[in-house]
Amino acid sequence: MQQEGFFITVEGVEGAGKSTNIKVIEEFLSEKNIDYVVTREPGGTLLAEKIRDLLLSHHEEEMEVTTELLLIFAARAQHLNTTIKPKLAEGKWVLCDRFTDATYAYQGAGRGCDSQLIGQLESLVQGSLRPDLTVVFDLDPRIGLARASQRGQLDRIESQNLEFFQRVRQAYQNIASRESARFCVIDSSKTRENVSVILRDALQDKIKEYLNEQ
Ligand code: T5A
């Protein structure tokens, strides 16, 4: 019987090094001869990427928090059903840049959405599907925003104030300590090289049972 794939998500505040370190995770998986796909949220399909544009661009009309929350789950429903679930069913590993923990952190802690409502939408859209492993890159948002702002103009969500991102960081730390078996928290204030070494060790440790290695 074909084994179902493994679902890895990557989280952190803006500029924490997700994109940089997804490449490290990819190298690691390739060395282990693991068949994987990389995707992201919001987005990951043509339609979901259109919703992403709507979410991240600036608008003359202010977007209501509930609108933002529902758009995120609309994009997620599309992404899950057309990409993530079929790939996992084929036995592939799915490496996703952000997922529902971001919704608890950004819309929940950041915007103040009721976490029970987020939980209801999570159940509606995902059923019982949850990531097998979540890597959080933990960084002072002042450093992350400074790194991210070097790319140019900040998008609609990046334009929130520092307190917003401090709440987001705290939320990730809280979820990670509540669900420590699923999480791996990496100190992203270190150099790229150090982060890469720590990440590879953590991956080896977290997935060794799955890989049947010591
Ligand atoms: N969102 C998303 C929600 O609000 N709710 C949700 O449910 C979901 C799924 C998506 C936005 O959507 C929001 C959150 C986000 O605001 P995104 O595509 O995930 O956005 O983009 P960002 O979080 O904005 O990602 P960034 O590209 O800004 O950050 P990364 O990927 O974390 O950082 P990275 O790797 O690009 O690095 C940033 C810079 O720092 C350097 C890199 O070279 C780069 O220049 N860098 C380092 N510099 C020094 N030392 C290190 N260790 C470094 N590591 C990287």
Side-chain angles (χ1 to χ4, degrees):
M1 193 178 75
Q2 192 180 31
Q3 183 157 27
E4 203 174 273
F6 193 84
F7 186 23
I8 303 177
T9 59
V10 178
E11 300 282 357
V13 294
E14 327 297 304
K18 296 183 310 307
S19 311
T20 306
N21 289 296
I22 280 175
K23 294 194 182 71
V24 175
I25 302 176
E26 285 191 71
E27 275 169 26
F28 178 89
L29 297 178
S30 297
E31 286 163 19
K32 304 282 179 194
N33 292 317
I34 290 168
D35 197 2
Y36 67 88
V37 292
V38 182
T39 187
R40 69 173 181 180
E41 289 216 349
T45 81
L46 288 174
L47 197 51
E49 288 288 329
K50 289 188 180 178
I51 301 176
R52 177 189 177 93
D53 287 344
L54 204 52
L55 281 161
L56 299 190
S57 52
H58 294 273
H59 306 282
E60 279 180 36
E61 179 182 336
E62 195 171 327
M63 189 180 290
E64 285 292 316
V65 176
T66 312
T67 309
E68 182 177 293
L69 179 64
L70 293 174
L71 282 173
I72 283 168
F73 272 106
R76 184 161 297 141
Q78 187 68 18
H79 186 210
L80 261 179
N81 290 311
T82 66
T83 305
I84 296 178
K85 283 185 185 172
K87 295 294 176 196
L88 289 172
E90 284 171 27
K92 289 192 168 42
W93 288 42
V94 175
L95 176 54
C96 189
D97 188 344
R98 297 195 185 277
F99 195 61
T100 307
D101 294 307
T103 315
Y104 283 103
Y106 282 78
Q107 281 63 49
R111 301 273 197 223
C113 285
D114 178 8
S115 61
Q116 280 192 348
L117 172 62
I118 298 175
Q120 285 167 355
L121 292 168
E122 181 180 34
S123 301
L124 175 76
V125 168
Q126 296 168 219
S128 61
L129 191 141
R130 300 289 180 276
D132 296 298
L133 170 65
T134 299
V135 182
V136 178
F137 293 95
D138 181 56
L139 185 66
D140 183 332
R142 278 173 293 203
I143 304 173
L145 287 169
R147 288 182 188 170
S149 64
Q150 287 170 1
R151 275 191 310 242
Q153 213 201 344
L154 298 175
D155 67 36
R156 196 179 64 84
I157 295 181
E158 287 168 342
S159 306
Q160 301 306 304
N161 61 27
L162 183 62
E163 288 70 34
F164 176 95
F165 293 106
Q166 282 165 337
R167 291 196 296 278
V168 169
R169 181 192 193 191
Q170 185 64 54
Y172 278 131
Q173 290 174 343
N174 294 346
I175 305 169
S177 66
R178 264 200 324 267
E179 295 185 46
S180 56
R182 170 165 71 91
F183 274 85
C184 167
V185 181
I186 306 283
D187 178 357
S188 203
S189 65
K190 300 186 185 304
T191 64
R192 283 184 191 77
E193 294 69 28
N194 278 343
V195 171
S196 160
V197 171
I198 295 166
L199 172 60
R200 292 177 64 92
D201 285 350
L203 286 173
Q204 182 68 36
D205 186 50
K206 282 282 185 188
I207 64 179
K208 71 180 174 211
E209 280 172 34
Y210 202 84
L211 294 173
N212 212 11
E213 286 181 0
Q214 288 309 305

PDB file of all heavy atoms in Angstrom, residues 168-202:
ATOM      1  N   VAL A 168       1.893  38.736  16.953  1.00  0.00           N
ATOM      2  CA  VAL A 168       2.021  37.586  16.044  1.00  0.00           C
ATOM      3  C   VAL A 168       3.139  36.660  16.534  1.00  0.00           C
ATOM      4  O   VAL A 168       2.968  35.436  16.650  1.00  0.00           O
ATOM      5  CB  VAL A 168       2.318  38.072  14.597  1.00  0.00           C
ATOM      6  CG1 VAL A 168       2.731  36.907  13.695  1.00  0.00           C
ATOM      7  CG2 VAL A 168       1.095  38.784  14.012  1.00  0.00           C
ATOM      8  N   ARG A 169       4.283  37.251  16.865  1.00  0.00           N
ATOM      9  CA  ARG A 169       5.412  36.435  17.342  1.00  0.00           C
ATOM     10  C   ARG A 169       5.032  35.670  18.616  1.00  0.00           C
ATOM     11  O   ARG A 169       5.291  34.476  18.749  1.00  0.00           O
ATOM     12  CB  ARG A 169       6.617  37.347  17.616  1.00  0.00           C
ATOM     13  CG  ARG A 169       7.820  36.560  18.081  1.00  0.00           C
ATOM     14  CD  ARG A 169       8.910  37.450  18.631  1.00  0.00           C
ATOM     15  NE  ARG A 169      10.158  36.754  18.791  1.00  0.00           N
ATOM     16  CZ  ARG A 169      11.199  37.248  19.434  1.00  0.00           C
ATOM     17  NH1 ARG A 169      11.141  38.466  19.970  1.00  0.00           N
ATOM     18  NH2 ARG A 169      12.310  36.562  19.553  1.00  0.00           N
ATOM     19  N   GLN A 170       4.396  36.395  19.534  1.00  0.00           N
ATOM     20  CA  GLN A 170       3.994  35.771  20.804  1.00  0.00           C
ATOM     21  C   GLN A 170       3.021  34.614  20.555  1.00  0.00           C
ATOM     22  O   GLN A 170       3.106  33.562  21.198  1.00  0.00           O
ATOM     23  CB  GLN A 170       3.361  36.835  21.716  1.00  0.00           C
ATOM     24  CG  GLN A 170       3.014  36.355  23.102  1.00  0.00           C
ATOM     25  CD  GLN A 170       4.245  35.942  23.909  1.00  0.00           C
ATOM     26  OE1 GLN A 170       5.178  36.722  24.049  1.00  0.00           O
ATOM     27  NE2 GLN A 170       4.261  34.712  24.402  1.00  0.00           N
ATOM     28  N   ALA A 171       2.115  34.817  19.608  1.00  0.00           N
ATOM     29  CA  ALA A 171       1.133  33.762  19.304  1.00  0.00           C
ATOM     30  C   ALA A 171       1.844  32.516  18.791  1.00  0.00           C
ATOM     31  O   ALA A 171       1.522  31.390  19.203  1.00  0.00           O
ATOM     32  CB  ALA A 171       0.127  34.258  18.274  1.00  0.00           C
ATOM     33  N   TYR A 172       2.815  32.697  17.900  1.00  0.00           N
ATOM     34  CA  TYR A 172       3.564  31.529  17.410  1.00  0.00           C
ATOM     35  C   TYR A 172       4.261  30.817  18.571  1.00  0.00           C
ATOM     36  O   TYR A 172       4.260  29.594  18.653  1.00  0.00           O
ATOM     37  CB  TYR A 172       4.614  31.954  16.379  1.00  0.00           C
ATOM     38  CG  TYR A 172       4.091  32.152  14.976  1.00  0.00           C
ATOM     39  CD1 TYR A 172       4.401  33.297  14.248  1.00  0.00           C
ATOM     40  CD2 TYR A 172       3.309  31.168  14.352  1.00  0.00           C
ATOM     41  CE1 TYR A 172       3.943  33.470  12.951  1.00  0.00           C
ATOM     42  CE2 TYR A 172       2.851  31.342  13.047  1.00  0.00           C
ATOM     43  CZ  TYR A 172       3.174  32.490  12.354  1.00  0.00           C
ATOM     44  OH  TYR A 172       2.720  32.654  11.069  1.00  0.00           O
ATOM     45  N   GLN A 173       4.856  31.604  19.469  1.00  0.00           N
ATOM     46  CA  GLN A 173       5.550  30.982  20.611  1.00  0.00           C
ATOM     47  C   GLN A 173       4.564  30.200  21.474  1.00  0.00           C
ATOM     48  O   GLN A 173       4.856  29.098  21.935  1.00  0.00           O
ATOM     49  CB  GLN A 173       6.262  32.056  21.447  1.00  0.00           C
ATOM     50  CG  GLN A 173       7.455  32.668  20.722  1.00  0.00           C
ATOM     51  CD  GLN A 173       8.083  33.836  21.485  1.00  0.00           C
ATOM     52  OE1 GLN A 173       7.473  34.396  22.392  1.00  0.00           O
ATOM     53  NE2 GLN A 173       9.280  34.222  21.089  1.00  0.00           N
ATOM     54  N   ASN A 174       3.367  30.774  21.669  1.00  0.00           N
ATOM     55  CA  ASN A 174       2.356  30.099  22.494  1.00  0.00           C
ATOM     56  C   ASN A 174       1.890  28.788  21.858  1.00  0.00           C
ATOM     57  O   ASN A 174       1.778  27.761  22.525  1.00  0.00           O
ATOM     58  CB  ASN A 174       1.141  31.006  22.721  1.00  0.00           C
ATOM     59  CG  ASN A 174       1.479  32.227  23.558  1.00  0.00           C
ATOM     60  OD1 ASN A 174       2.538  32.282  24.184  1.00  0.00           O
ATOM     61  ND2 ASN A 174       0.602  33.221  23.553  1.00  0.00           N
ATOM     62  N   ILE A 175       1.591  28.850  20.563  1.00  0.00           N
ATOM     63  CA  ILE A 175       1.099  27.632  19.886  1.00  0.00           C
ATOM     64  C   ILE A 175       2.199  26.565  19.934  1.00  0.00           C
ATOM     65  O   ILE A 175       1.938  25.388  20.181  1.00  0.00           O
ATOM     66  CB  ILE A 175       0.688  27.896  18.412  1.00  0.00           C
ATOM     67  CG1 ILE A 175      -0.336  29.025  18.299  1.00  0.00           C
ATOM     68  CG2 ILE A 175       0.122  26.624  17.776  1.00  0.00           C
ATOM     69  CD1 ILE A 175      -0.593  29.513  16.873  1.00  0.00           C
ATOM     70  N   ALA A 176       3.437  27.001  19.689  1.00  0.00           N
ATOM     71  CA  ALA A 176       4.557  26.037  19.657  1.00  0.00           C
ATOM     72  C   ALA A 176       4.750  25.380  21.017  1.00  0.00           C
ATOM     73  O   ALA A 176       5.057  24.190  21.099  1.00  0.00           O
ATOM     74  CB  ALA A 176       5.834  26.730  19.202  1.00  0.00           C
ATOM     75  N   SER A 177       4.559  26.139  22.101  1.00  0.00           N
ATOM     76  CA  SER A 177       4.764  25.481  23.398  1.00  0.00           C
ATOM     77  C   SER A 177       3.571  24.584  23.758  1.00  0.00           C
ATOM     78  O   SER A 177       3.732  23.569  24.418  1.00  0.00           O
ATOM     79  CB  SER A 177       5.093  26.490  24.501  1.00  0.00           C
ATOM     80  OG  SER A 177       4.007  27.299  24.729  1.00  0.00           O
ATOM     81  N   ARG A 178       2.380  24.940  23.259  1.00  0.00           N
ATOM     82  CA  ARG A 178       1.207  24.077  23.493  1.00  0.00           C
ATOM     83  C   ARG A 178       1.299  22.760  22.719  1.00  0.00           C
ATOM     84  O   ARG A 178       0.862  21.729  23.175  1.00  0.00           O
ATOM     85  CB  ARG A 178      -0.061  24.803  23.037  1.00  0.00           C
ATOM     86  CG  ARG A 178      -0.797  25.520  24.132  1.00  0.00           C
ATOM     87  CD  ARG A 178      -2.244  25.795  23.783  1.00  0.00           C
ATOM     88  NE  ARG A 178      -2.549  26.116  22.417  1.00  0.00           N
ATOM     89  CZ  ARG A 178      -2.624  27.351  21.913  1.00  0.00           C
ATOM     90  NH1 ARG A 178      -2.376  28.380  22.676  1.00  0.00           N
ATOM     91  NH2 ARG A 178      -2.944  27.543  20.647  1.00  0.00           N
ATOM     92  N   GLU A 179       1.845  22.856  21.496  1.00  0.00           N
ATOM     93  CA  GLU A 179       1.887  21.671  20.621  1.00  0.00           C
ATOM     94  C   GLU A 179       3.341  21.334  20.303  1.00  0.00           C
ATOM     95  O   GLU A 179       3.735  21.298  19.139  1.00  0.00           O
ATOM     96  CB  GLU A 179       1.119  21.956  19.330  1.00  0.00           C
ATOM     97  CG  GLU A 179      -0.361  22.186  19.548  1.00  0.00           C
ATOM     98  CD  GLU A 179      -1.096  22.347  18.234  1.00  0.00           C
ATOM     99  OE1 GLU A 179      -0.883  21.561  17.292  1.00  0.00           O
ATOM    100  OE2 GLU A 179      -1.878  23.305  18.142  1.00  0.00           O
ATOM    101  N   SER A 180       4.119  21.111  21.344  1.00  0.00           N
ATOM    102  CA  SER A 180       5.577  20.995  21.147  1.00  0.00           C
ATOM    103  C   SER A 180       5.967  19.793  20.275  1.00  0.00           C
ATOM    104  O   SER A 180       6.988  19.830  19.602  1.00  0.00           O
ATOM    105  CB  SER A 180       6.289  20.947  22.494  1.00  0.00           C
ATOM    106  OG  SER A 180       5.769  19.885  23.240  1.00  0.00           O
ATOM    107  N   ALA A 181       5.144  18.737  20.260  1.00  0.00           N
ATOM    108  CA  ALA A 181       5.520  17.573  19.447  1.00  0.00           C
ATOM    109  C   ALA A 181       5.497  17.910  17.956  1.00  0.00           C
ATOM    110  O   ALA A 181       6.304  17.407  17.178  1.00  0.00           O
ATOM    111  CB  ALA A 181       4.566  16.418  19.734  1.00  0.00           C
ATOM    112  N   ARG A 182       4.574  18.772  17.555  1.00  0.00           N
ATOM    113  CA  ARG A 182       4.468  19.122  16.130  1.00  0.00           C
ATOM    114  C   ARG A 182       5.474  20.183  15.734  1.00  0.00           C
ATOM    115  O   ARG A 182       5.838  20.295  14.568  1.00  0.00           O
ATOM    116  CB  ARG A 182       3.030  19.604  15.835  1.00  0.00           C
ATOM    117  CG  ARG A 182       2.864  20.215  14.452  1.00  0.00           C
ATOM    118  CD  ARG A 182       1.418  20.333  14.047  1.00  0.00           C
ATOM    119  NE  ARG A 182       0.643  21.334  14.739  1.00  0.00           N
ATOM    120  CZ  ARG A 182       0.486  22.599  14.326  1.00  0.00           C
ATOM    121  NH1 ARG A 182       1.089  23.021  13.222  1.00  0.00           N
ATOM    122  NH2 ARG A 182      -0.269  23.437  15.012  1.00  0.00           N
ATOM    123  N   PHE A 183       5.913  20.989  16.707  1.00  0.00           N
ATOM    124  CA  PHE A 183       6.695  22.185  16.368  1.00  0.00           C
ATOM    125  C   PHE A 183       8.187  22.031  16.525  1.00  0.00           C
ATOM    126  O   PHE A 183       8.679  21.261  17.347  1.00  0.00           O
ATOM    127  CB  PHE A 183       6.253  23.357  17.248  1.00  0.00           C
ATOM    128  CG  PHE A 183       5.079  24.097  16.695  1.00  0.00           C
ATOM    129  CD1 PHE A 183       3.794  23.656  16.938  1.00  0.00           C
ATOM    130  CD2 PHE A 183       5.261  25.217  15.901  1.00  0.00           C
ATOM    131  CE1 PHE A 183       2.700  24.327  16.420  1.00  0.00           C
ATOM    132  CE2 PHE A 183       4.179  25.889  15.378  1.00  0.00           C
ATOM    133  CZ  PHE A 183       2.888  25.451  15.638  1.00  0.00           C
ATOM    134  N   CYS A 184       8.879  22.862  15.767  1.00  0.00           N
ATOM    135  CA  CYS A 184      10.312  22.983  15.882  1.00  0.00           C
ATOM    136  C   CYS A 184      10.571  24.496  15.770  1.00  0.00           C
ATOM    137  O   CYS A 184      10.184  25.111  14.772  1.00  0.00           O
ATOM    138  CB  CYS A 184      10.837  22.189  14.698  1.00  0.00           C
ATOM    139  SG  CYS A 184      12.470  22.389  14.318  1.00  0.00           S
ATOM    140  N   VAL A 185      11.083  25.096  16.828  1.00  0.00           N
ATOM    141  CA  VAL A 185      11.279  26.547  16.843  1.00  0.00           C
ATOM    142  C   VAL A 185      12.768  26.845  16.640  1.00  0.00           C
ATOM    143  O   VAL A 185      13.616  26.337  17.377  1.00  0.00           O
ATOM    144  CB  VAL A 185      10.790  27.167  18.175  1.00  0.00           C
ATOM    145  CG1 VAL A 185      10.986  28.678  18.179  1.00  0.00           C
ATOM    146  CG2 VAL A 185       9.313  26.825  18.416  1.00  0.00           C
ATOM    147  N   ILE A 186      13.055  27.651  15.638  1.00  0.00           N
ATOM    148  CA  ILE A 186      14.449  27.942  15.283  1.00  0.00           C
ATOM    149  C   ILE A 186      14.733  29.427  15.539  1.00  0.00           C
ATOM    150  O   ILE A 186      13.995  30.298  15.050  1.00  0.00           O
ATOM    151  CB  ILE A 186      14.696  27.651  13.773  1.00  0.00           C
ATOM    152  CG1 ILE A 186      14.271  26.223  13.400  1.00  0.00           C
ATOM    153  CG2 ILE A 186      16.145  27.952  13.382  1.00  0.00           C
ATOM    154  CD1 ILE A 186      15.210  25.139  13.815  1.00  0.00           C
ATOM    155  N   ASP A 187      15.808  29.688  16.278  1.00  0.00           N
ATOM    156  CA  ASP A 187      16.214  31.074  16.539  1.00  0.00           C
ATOM    157  C   ASP A 187      16.820  31.659  15.260  1.00  0.00           C
ATOM    158  O   ASP A 187      17.909  31.288  14.836  1.00  0.00           O
ATOM    159  CB  ASP A 187      17.244  31.072  17.681  1.00  0.00           C
ATOM    160  CG  ASP A 187      17.767  32.468  17.981  1.00  0.00           C
ATOM    161  OD1 ASP A 187      17.379  33.424  17.280  1.00  0.00           O
ATOM    162  OD2 ASP A 187      18.580  32.588  18.915  1.00  0.00           O
ATOM    163  N   SER A 188      16.072  32.598  14.685  1.00  0.00           N
ATOM    164  CA  SER A 188      16.455  33.122  13.381  1.00  0.00           C
ATOM    165  C   SER A 188      17.320  34.383  13.474  1.00  0.00           C
ATOM    166  O   SER A 188      17.582  35.028  12.465  1.00  0.00           O
ATOM    167  CB  SER A 188      15.170  33.411  12.602  1.00  0.00           C
ATOM    168  OG  SER A 188      15.400  33.405  11.250  1.00  0.00           O
ATOM    169  N   SER A 189      17.754  34.718  14.710  1.00  0.00           N
ATOM    170  CA  SER A 189      18.593  35.913  14.847  1.00  0.00           C
ATOM    171  C   SER A 189      20.060  35.581  14.550  1.00  0.00           C
ATOM    172  O   SER A 189      20.903  36.453  14.446  1.00  0.00           O
ATOM    173  CB  SER A 189      18.476  36.491  16.261  1.00  0.00           C
ATOM    174  OG  SER A 189      19.011  35.578  17.191  1.00  0.00           O
ATOM    175  N   LYS A 190      20.350  34.291  14.411  1.00  0.00           N
ATOM    176  CA  LYS A 190      21.734  33.883  14.140  1.00  0.00           C
ATOM    177  C   LYS A 190      22.045  34.061  12.656  1.00  0.00           C
ATOM    178  O   LYS A 190      21.172  34.399  11.871  1.00  0.00           O
ATOM    179  CB  LYS A 190      21.917  32.425  14.569  1.00  0.00           C
ATOM    180  CG  LYS A 190      21.640  32.195  16.052  1.00  0.00           C
ATOM    181  CD  LYS A 190      21.962  30.794  16.453  1.00  0.00           C
ATOM    182  CE  LYS A 190      21.571  30.519  17.898  1.00  0.00           C
ATOM    183  NZ  LYS A 190      22.153  31.426  18.889  1.00  0.00           N
ATOM    184  N   THR A 191      23.309  33.821  12.299  1.00  0.00           N
ATOM    185  CA  THR A 191      23.689  33.989  10.888  1.00  0.00           C
ATOM    186  C   THR A 191      22.969  32.947  10.033  1.00  0.00           C
ATOM    187  O   THR A 191      22.528  31.904  10.547  1.00  0.00           O
ATOM    188  CB  THR A 191      25.206  33.786  10.701  1.00  0.00           C
ATOM    189  OG1 THR A 191      25.499  32.421  11.034  1.00  0.00           O
ATOM    190  CG2 THR A 191      26.026  34.739  11.558  1.00  0.00           C
ATOM    191  N   ARG A 192      22.892  33.218   8.730  1.00  0.00           N
ATOM    192  CA  ARG A 192      22.253  32.255   7.813  1.00  0.00           C
ATOM    193  C   ARG A 192      22.865  30.868   7.970  1.00  0.00           C
ATOM    194  O   ARG A 192      22.169  29.858   7.981  1.00  0.00           O
ATOM    195  CB  ARG A 192      22.448  32.705   6.369  1.00  0.00           C
ATOM    196  CG  ARG A 192      21.556  33.827   5.920  1.00  0.00           C
ATOM    197  CD  ARG A 192      21.813  34.093   4.431  1.00  0.00           C
ATOM    198  NE  ARG A 192      21.193  35.311   3.999  1.00  0.00           N
ATOM    199  CZ  ARG A 192      21.665  36.529   4.251  1.00  0.00           C
ATOM    200  NH1 ARG A 192      22.773  36.680   4.953  1.00  0.00           N
ATOM    201  NH2 ARG A 192      21.037  37.597   3.813  1.00  0.00           N
ATOM    202  N   GLU A 193      24.195  30.832   8.064  1.00  0.00           N
ATOM    203  CA  GLU A 193      24.908  29.546   8.151  1.00  0.00           C
ATOM    204  C   GLU A 193      24.519  28.797   9.437  1.00  0.00           C
ATOM    205  O   GLU A 193      24.237  27.597   9.408  1.00  0.00           O
ATOM    206  CB  GLU A 193      26.432  29.757   8.123  1.00  0.00           C
ATOM    207  CG  GLU A 193      26.979  30.310   6.809  1.00  0.00           C
ATOM    208  CD  GLU A 193      26.568  31.762   6.533  1.00  0.00           C
ATOM    209  OE1 GLU A 193      26.332  32.531   7.496  1.00  0.00           O
ATOM    210  OE2 GLU A 193      26.463  32.117   5.338  1.00  0.00           O
ATOM    211  N   ASN A 194      24.501  29.535  10.554  1.00  0.00           N
ATOM    212  CA  ASN A 194      24.131  28.895  11.829  1.00  0.00           C
ATOM    213  C   ASN A 194      22.696  28.395  11.792  1.00  0.00           C
ATOM    214  O   ASN A 194      22.404  27.289  12.260  1.00  0.00           O
ATOM    215  CB  ASN A 194      24.266  29.886  12.997  1.00  0.00           C
ATOM    216  CG  ASN A 194      25.692  29.997  13.478  1.00  0.00           C
ATOM    217  OD1 ASN A 194      26.517  29.136  13.167  1.00  0.00           O
ATOM    218  ND2 ASN A 194      26.001  31.041  14.218  1.00  0.00           N
ATOM    219  N   VAL A 195      21.801  29.226  11.266  1.00  0.00           N
ATOM    220  CA  VAL A 195      20.382  28.830  11.197  1.00  0.00           C
ATOM    221  C   VAL A 195      20.258  27.548  10.372  1.00  0.00           C
ATOM    222  O   VAL A 195      19.536  26.611  10.748  1.00  0.00           O
ATOM    223  CB  VAL A 195      19.519  29.963  10.596  1.00  0.00           C
ATOM    224  CG1 VAL A 195      18.098  29.481  10.314  1.00  0.00           C
ATOM    225  CG2 VAL A 195      19.480  31.163  11.534  1.00  0.00           C
ATOM    226  N   SER A 196      20.993  27.496   9.290  1.00  0.00           N
ATOM    227  CA  SER A 196      20.921  26.337   8.406  1.00  0.00           C
ATOM    228  C   SER A 196      21.371  25.054   9.123  1.00  0.00           C
ATOM    229  O   SER A 196      20.713  24.006   9.024  1.00  0.00           O
ATOM    230  CB  SER A 196      21.775  26.651   7.173  1.00  0.00           C
ATOM    231  OG  SER A 196      22.117  25.494   6.523  1.00  0.00           O
ATOM    232  N   VAL A 197      22.455  25.142   9.894  1.00  0.00           N
ATOM    233  CA  VAL A 197      22.958  23.961  10.622  1.00  0.00           C
ATOM    234  C   VAL A 197      21.941  23.518  11.688  1.00  0.00           C
ATOM    235  O   VAL A 197      21.606  22.329  11.804  1.00  0.00           O
ATOM    236  CB  VAL A 197      24.336  24.275  11.278  1.00  0.00           C
ATOM    237  CG1 VAL A 197      24.762  23.149  12.213  1.00  0.00           C
ATOM    238  CG2 VAL A 197      25.386  24.509  10.204  1.00  0.00           C
ATOM    239  N   ILE A 198      21.420  24.494  12.444  1.00  0.00           N
ATOM    240  CA  ILE A 198      20.450  24.171  13.512  1.00  0.00           C
ATOM    241  C   ILE A 198      19.192  23.542  12.897  1.00  0.00           C
ATOM    242  O   ILE A 198      18.645  22.567  13.405  1.00  0.00           O
ATOM    243  CB  ILE A 198      20.084  25.446  14.314  1.00  0.00           C
ATOM    244  CG1 ILE A 198      21.318  25.963  15.060  1.00  0.00           C
ATOM    245  CG2 ILE A 198      18.948  25.183  15.286  1.00  0.00           C
ATOM    246  CD1 ILE A 198      21.166  27.378  15.605  1.00  0.00           C
ATOM    247  N   LEU A 199      18.767  24.105  11.780  1.00  0.00           N
ATOM    248  CA  LEU A 199      17.561  23.609  11.111  1.00  0.00           C
ATOM    249  C   LEU A 199      17.752  22.166  10.647  1.00  0.00           C
ATOM    250  O   LEU A 199      16.887  21.315  10.858  1.00  0.00           O
ATOM    251  CB  LEU A 199      17.233  24.537   9.928  1.00  0.00           C
ATOM    252  CG  LEU A 199      16.134  24.086   8.987  1.00  0.00           C
ATOM    253  CD1 LEU A 199      14.806  23.927   9.720  1.00  0.00           C
ATOM    254  CD2 LEU A 199      15.959  25.106   7.844  1.00  0.00           C
ATOM    255  N   ARG A 200      18.880  21.883  10.029  1.00  0.00           N
ATOM    256  CA  ARG A 200      19.118  20.521   9.523  1.00  0.00           C
ATOM    257  C   ARG A 200      19.138  19.511  10.683  1.00  0.00           C
ATOM    258  O   ARG A 200      18.571  18.422  10.570  1.00  0.00           O
ATOM    259  CB  ARG A 200      20.428  20.466   8.730  1.00  0.00           C
ATOM    260  CG  ARG A 200      20.363  21.243   7.409  1.00  0.00           C
ATOM    261  CD  ARG A 200      21.709  21.216   6.721  1.00  0.00           C
ATOM    262  NE  ARG A 200      22.042  19.868   6.351  1.00  0.00           N
ATOM    263  CZ  ARG A 200      21.763  19.311   5.168  1.00  0.00           C
ATOM    264  NH1 ARG A 200      21.173  20.004   4.237  1.00  0.00           N
ATOM    265  NH2 ARG A 200      22.089  18.064   4.918  1.00  0.00           N
ATOM    266  N   ASP A 201      19.767  19.884  11.786  1.00  0.00           N
ATOM    267  CA  ASP A 201      19.797  18.981  12.955  1.00  0.00           C
ATOM    268  C   ASP A 201      18.383  18.739  13.472  1.00  0.00           C
ATOM    269  O   ASP A 201      18.010  17.611  13.809  1.00  0.00           O
ATOM    270  CB  ASP A 201      20.633  19.596  14.094  1.00  0.00           C
ATOM    271  CG  ASP A 201      22.122  19.512  13.804  1.00  0.00           C
ATOM    272  OD1 ASP A 201      22.502  18.825  12.833  1.00  0.00           O
ATOM    273  OD2 ASP A 201      22.902  20.157  14.526  1.00  0.00           O
ATOM    274  N   ALA A 202      17.612  19.822  13.544  1.00  0.00           N
ATOM    275  CA  ALA A 202      16.239  19.711  14.062  1.00  0.00           C
ATOM    276  C   ALA A 202      15.390  18.839  13.143  1.00  0.00           C
ATOM    277  O   ALA A 202      14.607  18.008  13.614  1.00  0.00           O
ATOM    278  CB  ALA A 202      15.628  21.101  14.207  1.00  0.00           C
TER     279      ALA A 202
END
